[in-house]
Amino acid sequence: MQGWRSTLDRLVRERGRALVGYAYLLTGDTREAEDLFQDALLRVFSRGRPVDEIDSVEAYVRRTMLTTAVDGFRRRRRWAAVRHLVAVPETAPEPGPDHVTGARLAVRDALATLSPRERACVVLRHYDDLPLADIATTLDLSVGAVKRYLSDAHRRLRDQLGPLDLEPASPESTTVHLRRNR
Amino acid sequence: MTDDLRRALADLADAAGTGAGWDPRAVDARVSRLVQRVRRRRAAVTATASATALGTVGVLAVVAAALSGHLGTTAPADPPPATGPTPSQPTTTEPTAGPPRAPAGPAAALFACGRPAPESIHTLPDQGHLTVAPDLTTGTWDASAPPDLAVTVGATGGYRVTAEVGNGWLALVDDSGVVVGFVVPDDRSAAPLALEPDGTQELTTTTTAAPCDADEPLTGTYVAWPFVEATEVVAELAGSSDEQPAVAVVANPQQVTFAG
């Protein structure tokens, strides 16, 4: 085994669970998470660019999943609505009570109230621990837009989950705000 | 709920990631499916790029012809350099320009880049009362200069067979059962054969090894399916005839090894 095939094999075996979990945060649906994960792998490994370094490939796959989840969300939802009419049933198990229960269900349902961009911002901010400027770069948004998405998301999450232990403002956002006022 | 959102997200991601299909056998199947899908897509990208390149060459040829005053005349273009026919095998079909990565005739339905190969010789369709037997060079092959490929085409079942038969190919299949390349005959012309009952004819050509994915060179051991493509096949027996416009004639697979 060699080249991209070896990297793909390692990536799925060593990082697959984490990547599907990440995709689940972005989609809130096990089947969509699997689809998103596999679509991202196909995109990354079909482009013919070097895919030898597993860490950089994993980062690229995550970024591809983010972009797809945000940009392709509506298309995917439309497809999901009609998929049962044209596709054979898949055998992948649905998320059962053993896996997503109780408080997890509450978080999942709260995330489901967010728009794709709000959701991506929340994942990048609170799961990947990225500063606002990096989130803006990743999602090709302005820092101000990221702040707005996060603010709206936090409000909805609080509505669903109660008070959250969130930072009200970050140093980056303050800096940007001051610069804009000058 | 006052739990830290970060921990809640990590917990949710962890639970979702362990929820489905991560036992070793399931992962093997998952990887195998992904490898096949990536191969198909990469092969498709390569084919599209090749077609685009050929299209560009075609356009350039037309432009060149127009500039040199040949457009609209009957003057033939310069023939492409190709291996000429042997005296015993007169050419009846113009050689295809450029080395294809995969067959374009009837064998394309059986062997295509990134697609699973037939499970066994018994699952293959009727071969027009023709057989093919390869004489493969033993030992390790050099992918940059594979050995000549000799195949013997024969008539079976007491039939007298006439057909236009091309030189031999090998479809190379890796350990996941997917076609990953071909050993392509350099001379892709077809010769008219007239085979008496149980008669045979040997066809030999120099070859080129062509991986489906240029980024994945041919190294190691592969299952090689030998085949020839035949057109205008007419098989006669006791006054009746069986005609087929095109068939792929396939032999039992063998193993070939390319040096790393």
Side-chain angles (χ1 to χ4, degrees):
Chain A
M1 203 184 294
Q2 58 196 291
W4 64 265
R5 191 177 159 192
S6 170
T7 308
L8 176 62
D9 188 277
R10 269 190 68 200
L11 188 70
V12 173
R13 291 179 196 283
E14 297 176 13
R15 316 285 172 89
R17 294 181 192 211
L19 287 167
V20 169
Y22 193 78
Y24 185 82
L25 292 183
L26 297 169
T27 63
D29 179 274
T30 303
R31 186 177 290 178
E32 280 199 30
E34 282 283 348
D35 287 350
L36 186 60
F37 170 58
Q38 295 194 23
D39 284 355
L41 289 178
L42 285 177
R43 286 187 187 201
V44 169
F45 282 88
S46 299
R47 284 176 183 164
R49 66 180 65 196
V51 285
D52 296 331
E53 192 60 46
I54 195 164
D55 289 332
S56 61
V57 175
E58 181 183 6
Y60 196 52
V61 169
R62 283 178 189 267
R63 186 169 179 144
T64 302
M65 289 198 298
L66 268 165
T67 306
T68 306
V70 171
D71 294 342
F73 186 77
R74 289 193 180 86
R75 279 199 307 276
R76 297 180 65 79
R77 288 301 289 263
R78 278 202 295 273
W79 166 242
V82 300
R83 175 166 53 185
H84 68 284
L85 299 175
V86 296
V88 293
E90 295 180 15
T91 55
E94 290 295 313
D98 292 342
H99 303 120
V100 182
T101 58
R104 288 172 187 159
L105 277 176
V107 175
R108 186 195 69 178
D109 292 346
L111 287 172
T113 66
L114 307 182
S115 71
R117 280 204 172 85
E118 290 169 350
R119 192 171 181 129
C121 287
V122 166
V123 171
L124 288 169
R125 182 78 181 112
H126 299 291
Y127 184 76
D128 289 328
D129 204 21
L130 288 188
L132 298 183
D134 288 358
I135 297 172
T137 302
T138 302
L139 297 178
D140 198 20
L141 297 170
S142 68
V143 173
V146 171
K147 285 173 59 182
R148 194 165 60 248
Y149 284 125
L150 278 174
S151 174
D152 291 346
H154 291 163
R155 189 178 64 251
R156 287 209 186 87
L157 292 176
R158 285 195 191 93
D159 289 345
Q160 297 288 318
L161 302 172
L164 293 169
D165 183 18
L166 300 171
E167 303 151 301
S170 63
E172 303 95 86
S173 62
T174 305
T175 303
V176 171
H177 191 67
L178 289 172
R179 279 178 186 163
R180 281 191 171 176
N181 285 342
R182 279 176 191 167
Chain B
M1 180 177 176
T2 56
D3 287 351
D4 177 71
L5 183 56
R6 184 177 305 148
R7 264 182 295 147
L9 292 174
D11 180 53
L12 185 60
D14 186 55
T18 56
W22 291 103
D23 63 88
R25 286 180 61 188
V27 171
D28 286 346
R30 182 190 294 250
V31 169
S32 177
R33 281 196 304 272
L34 279 166
V35 165
Q36 288 186 26
R37 291 181 68 189
V38 170
R39 277 204 177 119
R40 276 199 289 272
R41 192 170 286 196
R42 290 172 78 105
V45 169
T46 303
T48 303
S50 299
T52 305
L54 283 174
T56 305
V57 169
V59 169
L60 289 174
V62 170
V63 171
L67 290 175
S68 61
H70 286 180
L71 196 62
T73 73
T74 55
D78 291 339
T83 306
T86 61
S88 61
Q89 299 167 12
T91 299
T92 57
T93 306
E94 284 301 313
T96 308
R101 291 185 179 279
L110 300 174
F111 303 107
C113 283
R115 296 284 179 82
E119 290 183 3
S120 81
I121 193 77
H122 305 294
T123 62
L124 295 171
D126 177 64
Q127 302 186 137
H129 307 288
L130 289 168
T131 61
V132 61
D135 182 13
L136 300 186
T137 302
T138 56
T140 301
W141 293 8
D142 178 357
S144 64
D148 292 357
L149 178 57
V151 296
T152 301
V153 178
T156 63
Y159 281 82
R160 175 180 287 106
V161 181
T162 60
E164 303 284 335
V165 183
N167 279 307
W169 292 66
L170 298 178
L172 303 172
V173 178
D174 75 355
D175 54 7
S176 68
V178 170
V179 175
V180 295
F182 291 89
V183 172
V184 183
D186 291 336
D187 177 4
R188 291 185 294 285
S189 61
L193 300 188
L195 300 168
E196 294 299 316
D198 299 322
T200 61
Q201 170 97 38
E202 183 175 287
L203 304 173
T204 304
T205 177
T206 57
T207 62
T208 301
C212 291
D213 183 346
D215 292 337
E216 196 173 10
L218 295 167
T219 61
T221 299
Y222 300 91
V223 172
W225 287 81
F227 66 88
V228 296
E229 295 181 305
T231 57
E232 300 174 34
V233 182
V234 179
E236 297 176 323
L237 176 66
S240 66
S241 68
D242 180 8
E243 299 182 17
Q244 297 196 50
V247 295
V249 187
V250 186
N252 270 313
Q254 303 183 28
Q255 286 197 331
V256 298
T257 300
F258 289 91

